[in-house]
Amino acid sequence: MRRIDVLGIGIGVFVAGGVAYLVLQAAGMDNLEAGIWSQFLLVGGLVGWLLTYLFRVGTKNMTYNQQVKDYEDAVLQKRLEEMTPEELAKLQAEIEQEKQQATPPPTSKP
C-alpha cells in the first residue's frame, strides 16, 4: 500500500467520523451522545476490520503469501519445461514410487 493510500484512508475515516457525528446530531441527539455514538461506530468499524485482517492472516490468504506461492509455481513450471523427456520420466517414476509407499496396503476383513 502506498503512502498516499494510507493518507487517503486516514482522512476518509476522519471525515466519516465527522459525518456520523453530524448525522446523529441531525437525528436529534445532543452533542455528548452523538459524540459517544460516533466514536462507538468508528471503534466498531476498526474492530471489524481487525477481525477480517486476523482471519486473512490465520487462513494465509494475504497478498504476500499469494505472491510467494505464484513465484514458487512459476519456478517449478520453468524447471519442468527445461527437463529432458528422460528426466521427466525418471521424476514421474519417483513420484509413483512415493505414492505407493505413502498408501498403506488394503487390509482384508475376516
Side-chain angles (χ1 to χ4, degrees):
M1 184 178 287
R2 300 174 305 169
R3 289 182 193 163
I4 191 72
D5 297 333
V6 172
L7 290 173
I9 291 169
I11 291 170
V13 168
F14 180 75
V15 169
V19 168
Y21 176 77
L22 294 174
V23 167
L24 291 172
Q25 270 190 328
M29 291 187 180
D30 64 351
N31 291 342
L32 182 62
E33 196 172 21
I36 290 171
W37 279 105
S38 65
Q39 287 179 5
F40 175 78
L41 292 173
L42 288 173
V43 170
L46 177 64
V47 169
W49 173 80
L50 179 64
L51 290 175
T52 63
Y53 179 77
L54 291 174
F55 178 76
R56 288 186 293 129
V57 168
T59 59
K60 297 186 186 239
N61 188 18
M62 300 187 67
T63 303
Y64 174 74
N65 293 351
Q66 187 62 42
Q67 288 174 342
V68 169
K69 184 181 177 304
D70 292 344
Y71 174 77
E72 289 172 350
D73 290 345
V75 168
L76 287 174
Q77 183 64 34
K78 184 172 181 178
R79 286 184 184 171
L80 281 174
E81 291 171 356
E82 292 174 349
M83 293 178 92
T84 64
E86 295 82 21
E87 291 173 330
L88 283 172
K90 182 181 175 186
L91 180 62
Q92 190 173 12
E94 289 175 7
I95 291 171
E96 289 298 325
Q97 184 181 13
E98 287 179 9
K99 281 184 182 179
Q100 290 174 356
Q101 291 175 356
T103 58
T107 58
S108 60
K109 295 183 180 179

